[in-house]
Amino acid sequence: MPVKFEVNGKPVSVDVEPRLTLADCLRHHLRLTGTHVGCEHGVCGACTVLVDGDAVRSCLMLAVQAEGAKVVTVEGLSNDDDLTPLQKSFRKHHALQCGFCTPGFITTAHALLTEEPDCDADRVREVLSGNICRCTGYIAIVEAVLDARSAYKKTTP
Amino acid sequence: MKNTFIGASIERREDLRFLRGRGIYVDDLTVPGLLYAVILRSSVAHGRLKSVDTSAALKIPGVHAVITAKDMNFTDYPAGVPIVPMRLQPLPEFKPFEQPVIAYDKVRYVGEPIAVVLASSVAVGEDALEHIAVEIEDLPPVATWRAAQKNESILFEPTGTNRSLMFEARKGDADTAFRDAPYTRRENLRTGRHYGLTMEPRGVMAEWDAAKNKLTVSGAAKVPFFNRRILAKQIGLAESDIEMIENDVGGGYGARGEFYPEDFLIPFAAKHINRPVKWIEDRRENLMAMNHARETEADLEIACNRDGTIIGVRGDVHTDMGAYMRTNGAVGARNAPQFMTGPYRVPHHKVDSHLWMTNKTPVGTYRGPGRFEGCFYMERLLDMVAADLGIDRVEMRRRNLISKAEHPYKLATAQPTNAHDQTDSGDYHATLDLCLKEFGWSEKSKLGGKLVGGKYHGVGVACFIEGGAAGPKESARLEINRDSTITVFMGTSSVGQGVETIYAQIAADALEVPIERIRHVYHGSTNTVSDGYGAYHSRSVVMGGSAVLVATEKFMATLRQAAGKRLGCAESSVTLDVDKVVAGGFSLPLGEFAGLTAESAFLNHKHTYSYGSHATHITVDAKLGHIEILDYLVVQDVGRAINPLTLRGQVIGSLVQGLGGAVLEDLKYDEQAQFLTGTLADYLLPLASDFPNLRCIVTDDHPSPINPLGAKGAGEGGIVAAGGCMANAVANALQSFGVQPRALPLSPTYIWELVQAGQQKAAE
Amino acid sequence: MKMPPFEYACPTSLSEAVKLLASHDGEAKALAGGQSLLPMMAFRVAQPTLLVDLRKLSGLGEIKISADGVRLGALVRWRDIEDDDRLDAAHPLLKAAIAHVAHYQIRNRGTVGGSIAHADPAAEMPGIAVACDAEIAVMGKAGARIIKAADFFLGALTTALQPDEIITEVRLPAWPASRRSGFQEFARRRGDFAMAGAALFYDLDKSGKASNAHVGVIGVGDRPRRLKPVEAVLNGSAIDEATIAKAAAAASAAVEPQEDIHASAAYRRSLTGTMVERALKSAAG
């Protein structure tokens, strides 16, 4: 069935089976392969994208449910010129190794820091407990997210 | 210019693509005409495969073919079905236990491939699975090594036994030494079943070009050159007809990249149907198809003098091997008995290691294979002995650590492979002392056993050595590009460790050029160098890095020769200056020599041994059986740190995997050998909230004498001692109950049961 | 792990949704946040032939607080409960329990109605509904009806909901300001289903004795349930250490826990007592 929504600021329209997940739609129909699929049962968080600003697991959402929504993927949080402050912080702290879970951490951390730029380490750990990383042991990821908070704080006019 | 990239915390070049979602993993690939493979796996643990009826499945729109054993008729193999050979320890004894690429007469574990559906989409392929009728005559399942030992139900009937082999780890004369020993203690110790779960499940994409007689296989990892040799033999092609392509790889940990049945099935399918075929493992499959590891039970005895010095160890280790001997499946079962003595001086050593075949997913290596298990045995024994003899735990270790002057220290030899080994260098006492000092042992240990705020405090310590740098060789090649940059080609693979950055550091230092001049580092595909050995046994930095060094020497010699001739100068006067070749007042852009290339290999038959100590401070909520880590410190000496930033990532990352095995992870089966942990809600991986208080200190005070870098493999130090250290801390915390953990994982139920038993004993 | 094929409908009215659910011989399923249903479909454990997406139904996403109590629309998400500061006073027990539900991303989509309909024995929301004597309002082709929480959960993943019925609201009775409550659960990791948990409250009479005690447990047995013997221990007693110890022992004795790969039955029995003990201590705090 036909579905229209917005991905990374651009309108898209796809014709999909109802059973197609948003994750597979993004990856295989829209060729946005930065969103990774690690479990397909809503545990690992690698497929996290933003839907209308909320971090959600795109393997636990049907593409047809995205009708009319604004979806942002890791590609939408990146640019060609330079790494974003969050990405720079991940690189500085070596908060990634194989990189497979990384897009899910970037989208989740971005949602968290956008809403709660003052979050503390416990809150970061609580929120990131929905994303599994097998390489880093998380210490560097938490450091990277905490270190990136300043970039999300609203500058006072 | 004199560079110091080696030793600097250089940010990784790989990150630029990974952080932006631009890494290309195997499932990100697509080609026109692609078909999707879905694998029907046995739901029966042990049975005779009577028939597979695919006719109904073939009628489903979108299903192009269903492949079974009947489609294979390879004359090199008795049943026509190729067998996956052992890569390491390829002993004739193991031959009868090797795995066919698809079940043809028996199924031997839940998850064994029976049929391959080729369909227009994965979803359609999965729909078709329900329409394949499989008839299996049930046989009694063998669910544990103890059941295997009875030999009542035999997995491979012609062999007459469920024991594929017994390794013998030997040193000195243990039986005599035990006879005269003033003190002995015997213990039964167990480790859980874990695996090197990678966040990216496995995947293979195969393209067959019949016109060019060329098979291209994407999704390679770890050991692509070796896997090409296996595939070429199985499928009847020349090695040069096959190209293995390594894409970005979402984790390895020893498990990913070995040759699995799918590594034959998917290329075969592509050739069979003459269309490109892709298979991406789903997580449920991954849990039951990727190599399992670690499930052992050890019955061990230690003999000591009254002052705590170890006289010897002896006993038996039983490993639950699962249903087949896979490529590297014997490594853990050999390492556990051979290396259980770790950094300790043990003159007499006699441990037999029994490899039992059971109806479970076959076993392979997982980071620190056998070493995690062996360290757990040894460290538990040391704490119990120290208590028996009234010796402080730390002093017990100091008295037994191999001293600086004793290197190279001979470890036990494993038979029948005649595997000799010895340490290389180091000051084991110094890392222990540093660890205790930085950890604050003298203060924290005073809390041991105390009940504070409803929780019992405990501290634990454990020491380890980590073997690395498996030979026999590794290759590197450098080539000049037209833009005057240099590309490095490697025979090793990337599984996420950051080798592109590290090899660039080593090459830039050796060539004395800015690191940006090393434009690309290519690795892992069979088109990079003439031969490669891959990424395992913490070998990438030592073997690959040393190969880069020797290749840069050959590269400079070749360049000097070419430039000397071109400029009419003495070869010895030629130097490389960023992007120019300079000699005798002349200079040429390096790009003038585009295409100049030099390949060389580093040969080595010895192992490096990085080493160190773990210390942890935990609390235990005895009513919940819950452990919280308040502080955990790993100190590891790595000979020479190439990149401290990524090294810390290796230590902390492997530590958390070790803590997963110590506290959370366990692959479970019921008594019918049905698999019970088929989701990530059942197989519990550590989360960001589980272990927040971890530290590491990496030193490089004692370079390895066996390679030009002085580096030692360092990917496993965090994991090896984690089980022993945590169990020791639990014993310390719960000493008032007389608790001695003898098994991993330290799950809430297990700890609670130990406390209950302790309370009951006290009441009696 | 691709889902089996199904039809999909996204009605705009409740009556239309009910009609759709009734149209597929009991093989249709309502889809709210999908955080429990879609994983079951990914494993092909659930194979509905029609999914009726409730997201366009208006009025089901509100949290209404009045003198009668708290009404949670079926499409209220965990996130909405977490963010609603009014609930700190209006229903502190609900707030405390929901803090344990799953993870950040799930909380952005998982719903009250979805969790109630899914009926996992270890889930927090069904536990709160049972502990608090909630009423579950449903709409079906026979019209609207109210089902008491105690009658709603029939077993693991089994409820009194008819195939054509949709949960519209969960009604929690009013919460007096002076009420004491506690919630405790223990899971292997953060966000996992609890091996056992306790949700309880009581009121204090003028003499400082407990009355109207409600003690619910999750994760032990096939459904959330109230432990009447524990409530009997509490009612009429001061909540002191002796009473708490008695209540904990009564809780352990009152449950028939199951064994699974994460916990033995004996462990769960003990844990249930510990959870009740700790919940009472935090309530008395």
Side-chain angles (χ1 to χ4, degrees), chain B residues 126-127 621 623-624 685, chain C residues 1-2 44 189 267 278:
Chain B
E126 290 187 16
D127 296 345
D621 184 327
K623 284 196 162 182
L624 304 185
L685 298 164
Chain C
M1 279 171 45
K2 308 303 176 191
R44 298 197 180 210
R189 302 172 304 179
Y267 172 80
R278 292 184 183 183

Side-chain angles (χ1 to χ4, degrees), chain C residues 86-133:
Chain C
R86 299 174 306 162
L87 287 170
D88 293 345
H91 213 295
L93 184 60
L94 172 71
K95 196 98 186 215
I98 297 315
H100 293 267
V101 177
H103 299 103
Y104 186 67
Q105 297 95 330
I106 300 270
R107 298 159 72 83
N108 280 328
R109 284 191 71 77
T111 65
V112 167
S115 172
I116 294 279
H118 184 60
D120 190 292
E124 291 82 0
M125 191 62 225
I128 291 298
V130 167
C132 298
D133 292 333

Side-chain angles (χ1 to χ4, degrees), chain A residues 5-8 50-53 66 68-72:
Chain A
F5 53 101
E6 193 184 296
V7 180
N8 300 331
L50 310 182
V51 175
D52 295 329
K70 287 185 166 62
V71 177
V72 176

